[in-house]
Structure formats: structure tokens, C-alpha cells
Amino acid sequence: MSDRGPVEAADALAAGSPAAEDPAAAGEGPAAVGPAAEALAAEALALDAADPLAALRERFVLDPATVYLDGNSLGALPKAVEARLADVVSREWGRLRIRSWEESGWWTMPERVGELVAPLIGAGPGQVVVSDSTSVNLLKALVGAVRIAREQAPDRGELLVDAATFPTDGYIAESAARLTGCTVRAVPPEEVPAALGPRTAAVLLNHVDYRTGELRALPALTSAAHAAGALAVWDLCHSAGALPVDLDAHGVDFAVGCTYKFLNGGPGSPAFLYVRGALQDRFDSPLPGWNSHADPFAMAPDYTPASGAVRGRVGTPDILSMAALETSLGVWDGVGIRDVRAKSLALTDFFLRCVAAHAGGGAVGVRSLTPAEHARRGSQVALLCDPPEQAEAVMKELIARGVVGDFRRPGVLRFGFTPLYTSYRDAERAARVLGEVIGGAR
Ligand SMILES: *Cc1c(COP(=O)(O)O)cnc(C)c1O
């Protein structure tokens, strides 16, 4: 899918976009002039004043000169992290040294931090472990899923993989297939139900498309996989911390996700692995490191897997990153993921309206690739530039003017909305500056 030229690929993206005819995002229509622009600015102030989550912004290190809309790549720093890391370094490591594995609770951190992630993804206790990267956890989940699928049906030899997946998922799926003697078939998520069959071992899907921000139908696609006797593996990188996932309620088998995007764990913070409780005893990890042994300190020559979430561990946990993540997750105290979702949808709706008002009629056109329909929208807005070659320069200029999003080839401007700290004023300012950059209305 990557051997097309950028313009062709952009057309393909746009053609597949359900928002292509959405007038709110089409950037056509009359340009916003003084009073319309002022009305949006006033509305932003009113929305912020009425926002029940507005005070959470105080829990983060932010700078007033910058509108930070890249929390879907690297979440902002929660204020409490700095002191926690200083303590871990100077006291736990510096003074207690090896005693900290017990006295500071280092050894059990992967499960303990997993329990903090669990409620955000709808997982009951004992099913989530924090460990390694998303890429590594994908290998565990995919090989684990295929091995379980094959217990009863050894001829299940196909892995279906989201055709629009974030690349690492596809690379790892190929390797998981080689390790298990399967083949991989790339399928657009909406075609998965028709592609499932008696040969399908497992399906790997991204909950939210990292480029377009489209949210996939996790409940329906999981049931379809189960109806065909296959296991469902979900990548939650762009949904964990952004919207309700309800893994237990929908019977998802395996899930992975990173913690440095909407969970604000810090650069390279360890990822999570969810293994449904009923499958844990059958989970045969392809990376059975000593940390996942039933009795690691027996130093036994033979491997006996631990039971429960611990089985998903591999080697010695990265305590510094894990400590940053543990403290970061404290920002969720008293915060409901459903309230976060409501604000995320309101913010992205408002941003799309502001873009339509400010960014129409410029030298560079923009069109939303993100579904207008709430049920199919994650927590980001992706705008396709016309011509797409301009997108990189547009994002560079936006960043120079204090609006930080990111650029994805072939011509996509990505803006991530993190309801814990993004304000309606941020959304309004980002759209206004975008209009200035692309020569749209003022
Ligand atoms: C961000 C992201 C990843 C990142 O994987 P790492 O191993 O943490 O680098 C994987 N999959 C998806 C869908 C992502 O969005």
C-alpha cells in the first residue's frame, strides 16, 4: 500500500473518507470575517467556562504561548512526575539501592501499574500488565492468539491484519506468522467480517486509525471474529485514555497499547498487554522470560509460566519509566473516561467548525479525513491538504507560530485533542492560525 505516489495516495485517502462531503469540514463556503470570527472566539471562552474538566489542565506542565495538539504522539508532562522521578533516583535507587526491589515495590510494578490502566480500558483486575513496548506486546499477543486458536483447530492458518494499520503492527504480524507457520492477509477493517472464515486464526485491528482518526467498531468486529472461531487482538494506542474501550464487556481476547500518547506516561514509557482472564492459563508467550516464571528466584533450568497477568512479562522492568507512568496515571483520579469522551467529541466538533470558518478559500485547501459521525471518530482531526505537497510546510509554519500538531505523509495535518488539558480556546486558536498560514479567512 505504500508504493503509490503521494498525490495518488492522498486521493485514495480522500476517496475513502466518509467526511469528504461534509460541508462543515470542506472549507468551501464564505470565508469567516470579523464578526463570525469574534463569535467563535466568544463561544470558545463560554465553552471553557462551562467545561467540567477545565481544572484538570492545572495538573500538567504547559506553556501559554503554545497550543499543544500532539498529545496523540507524546502526551504532556503531568506536574507530579518531576518530584516522583527525583525521589526514585535519589532515594530509591541512590540510597536504598537493591532493597528497593522489595521496599519500594519495584518488583511488582508491572502488575500494579497495569491495575491503574485497567479501568481506563474497561478491564477488571488481574488482566493487564505494563511491560516492554507496544511492538513487543504485539508479538506476544499475536503468537499467543494463534497458539490458542490452534489448540482445537490446527488448520487455522491465516492472520487477518488491518490494511491501514500503523506499520509496526504489520511488520510484527508478518514475523508472528512466520513463527507460527501462518500467512498474513491485509484487509480493510470494514471488510473483515466477509474475510473471516474457518481458516482464520486471529484478527489484528487498530481501534483508531492513526492517520485519519477513524474509530473502528470494536464490539461488532470482535463478535464477528468470535462467530468465525477466531481470536480478536486490538491495538488501542490511539484510544486508551481518549475514549471508553470496554474490553471485558465486549469479550476482546488480547489488547495492546502504548502509554506515552493519551496516557501521558512520557517518552518511551512501557506499553500494556491485556489478556482476557479466561484465556490466561492457555496463553503461551513467545517471549517467556524469567520475569514471567512462576518462581523466578528458583532460577530453575525449566520454564514454568506464572499464572495471571504476570505471564505477559519478559525481563527486568524499566523502573524509571514505569515510575513516571505510575505518577502520570494519578491525573485520572476522579476523572471518568465517559466525561473525557464527551469533551473530546465536543472539542473536535468545535475545531471542525472553526476550521470551516477560518481556513476556507485559501491558497491551500484543507478537507477533513476524520469522520463527522461521532460513532466513527477517535480523538484527533486529520486534515488533508490540497495540494498535499504543501502539508509539511504548513505544519512547520504552524509549529513556528505556536500551534503544535504533526504531519503524516502524503499530505495530512494531524491534530490530537487531549480532553484533560486541551481547551476550546486552544481549538479556536489552532484553526485561526491555520487560516492565517494557508491564506484563508481572518
Ligand atoms: C504509536 C503506535 C505504536 C507504537 O509502537 P511502539 O512499539 O510503542 O513504538 C504502535 N501501534 C500503533 C497503532 C500506534 O499508534
Side-chain angles (χ1 to χ4, degrees):
M1 66 183 200
S2 54
D3 52 1
R4 288 184 294 205
V7 179
E8 229 182 303
D11 287 346
L13 268 178
S17 163
E21 284 145 275
D22 172 20
E28 289 157 8
V33 280
E38 278 166 32
L40 285 170
E43 189 178 344
L45 286 175
L47 287 166
D48 282 330
D51 173 13
L53 304 183
L56 298 171
R57 188 177 170 96
E58 287 308 309
R59 299 181 183 180
F60 292 87
V61 177
L62 292 166
D63 103 62
T66 306
V67 174
Y68 190 65
L69 298 179
D70 217 357
N72 53 340
S73 261
L74 177 65
L77 170 66
K79 285 179 181 164
V81 170
E82 209 174 321
R84 171 74 192 278
L85 282 187
D87 182 58
V88 173
V89 171
S90 64
R91 188 180 58 83
E92 296 183 1
W93 179 14
R95 295 209 288 280
L96 296 177
R97 290 175 289 264
I98 198 134
R99 288 166 54 187
S100 274
W101 284 108
E102 288 230 354
E103 291 175 29
S104 305
W106 286 357
W107 184 258
T108 52
M109 272 181 110
E111 296 80 61
R112 193 168 78 232
V113 181
E115 293 305 345
L116 299 176
V117 173
L120 298 171
I121 54 176
Q127 302 174 105
V128 182
V129 69
V130 168
S131 165
D132 311 299
S133 63
T134 300
S135 303
V136 172
N137 287 334
L138 276 162
L139 185 78
K140 300 175 198 169
L142 287 169
V143 172
V146 171
R147 287 176 176 169
I148 290 172
R150 287 222 172 131
E151 286 170 0
Q152 311 294 335
D155 50 344
R156 286 188 182 268
E158 191 168 70
L159 262 177
L160 299 184
V161 177
D162 190 332
T165 188
F166 186 89
T168 205
D169 303 53
Y171 307 155
I172 298 285
E174 288 286 352
S175 179
R178 287 198 296 276
L179 286 168
T180 54
C182 285
T183 51
V184 171
R185 179 150 59 116
V187 181
E190 60 278 10
E191 291 171 23
V192 161
L196 285 158
R199 291 207 57 247
T200 316
V203 185
L204 168 63
L205 292 160
N206 291 181
H207 196 192
V208 174
D209 184 304
Y210 76 101
R211 251 189 326 186
T212 64
E214 176 161 5
L215 174 66
R216 303 300 184 178
L218 179 144
L221 291 168
T222 301
S223 320
H226 290 167
L231 278 83
V233 181
W234 284 90
D235 183 327
L236 310 179
C237 280
H238 284 270
S239 58
L243 50 98
V245 180
D246 297 327
L247 291 177
D248 287 350
H250 301 306
V252 167
D253 300 301
F254 288 84
V256 301
C258 57
T259 61
Y260 49 79
K261 292 171 182 166
F262 292 96
L263 295 174
N264 313 302
S269 57
F272 62 84
L273 170 69
Y274 165 93
V275 182
R276 182 154 65 86
L279 297 180
Q280 285 176 345
D281 289 345
R282 297 157 66 192
F283 173 39
D284 178 9
S285 171
L287 294 169
W290 75 292
N291 270 230
S292 68
H293 195 283
D295 186 3
F297 292 98
M299 304 291 174
D302 298 325
Y303 180 72
T304 308
S307 52
V310 179
R311 195 179 288 197
R313 289 173 65 160
V314 183
T316 306
D318 35 6
I319 297 302
L320 300 183
S321 287
M322 192 90 73
L325 172 60
E326 182 174 39
T327 299
S328 296
L329 290 167
V331 300
W332 290 90
D333 282 350
V335 179
I337 191 72
R338 285 179 164 73
D339 295 334
V340 166
R341 175 63 168 164
K343 181 175 172 187
S344 159
L345 291 171
L347 270 172
T348 47
D349 275 344
F350 183 63
F351 178 67
L352 286 168
R353 280 175 52 214
C354 292
V355 168
H358 283 292
V364 176
V366 288
R367 180 172 55 188
S368 175
L369 296 179
T370 304
E373 198 185 321
H374 284 177
R376 295 172 54 210
R377 189 191 303 166
S379 199
Q380 76 175 47
V381 170
L383 300 178
L384 177 65
C385 285
D386 176 22
E389 300 76 37
Q390 292 295 320
E392 190 165 12
V394 168
M395 184 50 73
K396 219 171 154 191
E397 186 57 27
L398 277 173
I399 292 170
R401 297 185 192 200
V403 175
V404 180
D406 60 29
F407 158 71
R408 288 289 177 270
R409 287 180 213 159
V412 177
L413 308 174
R414 282 198 328 173
F415 301 94
F417 290 81
T418 312
L420 299 185
Y421 56 78
T422 306
S423 67
Y424 293 89
R425 253 172 301 181
D426 286 339
E428 188 272 338
R429 183 173 146 204
R432 184 160 32 84
V433 175
L434 175 65
E436 289 162 13
V437 169
I438 67 179
R442 300 294 143 89

